[in-house]
Amino acid sequence: MGRSLIRLALQAIGAALIASSVLWALQGLGIVLWPADSFMLSKREWALYGAIASAIGGLFLMIAFRVRR
């Protein structure tokens, strides 16, 4: 039961990190302009931060899929 709980937690964290970081990247690139008062809009560094965070989320998912049941 312990490994399956760890696996589920890694999957949830990885998926949430990827979803939020894609929004960061799109806001940083000026593609998504929502919310209008966001400090990340059209700031290129947030596109970079989003890409890095997305890669970390992908690593979490890879680790989760390698954890044996």
Side-chain angles (χ1 to χ4, degrees), residues 23-49:
L23 178 62
W24 298 349
L26 293 176
Q27 284 179 330
L29 293 171
I31 296 171
V32 173
L33 300 175
W34 172 85
D37 60 346
S38 176
F39 60 91
M40 292 188 265
L41 299 180
S42 299
K43 306 264 179 158
R44 295 282 179 180
E45 64 267 14
W46 283 100
L48 176 62
Y49 301 154

Side-chain angles (χ1 to χ4, degrees), residues 1-12 64 67-69:
M1 178 167 176
R3 288 185 184 225
S4 62
L5 184 59
I6 291 171
R7 182 180 172 143
L8 180 63
L10 287 171
Q11 288 174 343
V67 171
R68 294 184 186 249
R69 292 182 183 212

